């Protein structure tokens, strides 16, 4: 029973079993999670995220056992749990275009794993599986925060010049 529950959590209720781009399909579960979290006070956002990330580590670790300890593509709990970090605390992220942009940027960083994200690949087990997604989400957060800041500055400048 616990193996079955872990399997469904690890595979994003089956989305990670998609024949193409399972990480992207699995990450889709992170969008409603992020949307809901953004409606919570910042302290609750942080506490809930910390709890979910800590729970994702053993879920991913146990699922990896079934794939010889590898971060198999069907394991997507790390993706959907880490995605909300890409927008946590950003008030402008409740706009659908911003959350969509965050999703695209997050998938870009998670799929390509540029430095420093690729270094997490050397960490084994559930912690390593979750770590690269957390780093990708944090890098995405920086990008989205900069984009929002520039957009707000541009909007303010346009209003002043009108």
């Amino acid at each position: 029973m616990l193996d079955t529950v872990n399997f469904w959590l690890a595979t994003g209720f089956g989305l990670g079993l998609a024949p193409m781009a399972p990480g992207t399909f699995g990450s889709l579960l992170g969008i409603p999670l992020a949307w809901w979290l953004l409606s919570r006070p910042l302290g609750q956002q942080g506490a809930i995220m910390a709890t979910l990330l800590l729970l994702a580590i053993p879920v991913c670790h146990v699922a990896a056992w079934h794939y010889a300890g590898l971060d198999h593509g069907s394991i997507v709990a790390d993706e959907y749990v880490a995605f909300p970090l890409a927008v946590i605390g950003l008030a402008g992220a409740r706009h659908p275009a911003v959350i969509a942009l965050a999703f695209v940027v997050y998938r870009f960083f998670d799929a390509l794993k540029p430095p420093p994200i690729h270094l997490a690949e050397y960490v084994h087990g559930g912690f390593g599986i979750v770590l690269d997604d957390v780093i990708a989400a944090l890098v995405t957060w920086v990008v989205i925060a900069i984009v929002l800041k520039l957009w707000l500055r541009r909007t303010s400048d346009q209003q002043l010049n009108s």
Side-chain angles (χ1 to χ4, degrees):
M1 167 87 175
L2 285 178
D3 274 348
T4 302
V5 170
N6 194 83
F7 172 80
W8 287 109
L9 289 172
T11 62
F13 306 98
L15 290 174
L17 301 174
M20 292 176 42
T24 299
F25 281 104
S27 295
L28 290 172
L29 290 174
I31 294 173
L33 177 59
W35 193 265
W36 174 77
L37 278 172
L38 286 168
S39 70
R40 318 299 310 156
L42 186 58
Q44 283 184 6
Q45 289 179 38
I48 292 167
M49 280 305 308
T51 302
L52 290 175
L53 289 168
L54 287 174
L55 291 172
I57 292 170
V59 166
C60 293
H61 190 82
V62 169
W65 283 348
H66 296 283
Y67 297 106
L70 301 174
D71 182 5
H72 191 268
S74 66
I75 302 171
V76 296
D78 50 328
E79 270 96 1
Y80 70 80
V81 169
F83 171 71
L85 282 176
V87 294
I88 195 168
L90 298 175
R94 282 281 288 179
H95 190 283
V98 175
I99 208 156
L101 176 62
F103 184 80
V104 170
V105 172
Y106 171 70
R107 289 305 306 144
F108 171 80
F109 284 126
D110 185 40
L112 291 183
K113 299 192 187 336
I117 301 166
H118 77 287
L119 295 175
E121 297 284 300
Y122 298 109
V123 180
H124 298 289
F127 183 72
I129 292 171
V130 174
L131 183 61
D132 72 308
D133 297 279
V134 167
I135 297 170
L138 293 174
V139 171
T140 300
W141 187 94
V142 170
V143 170
I144 298 302
I146 291 169
V147 167
L148 286 172
K149 183 88 165 169
L150 292 173
W151 182 72
L152 288 173
R153 182 182 300 166
R154 182 172 179 252
T155 304
S156 296
D157 290 347
Q158 286 177 347
Q159 288 175 353
L160 289 174
N161 294 330
S162 296

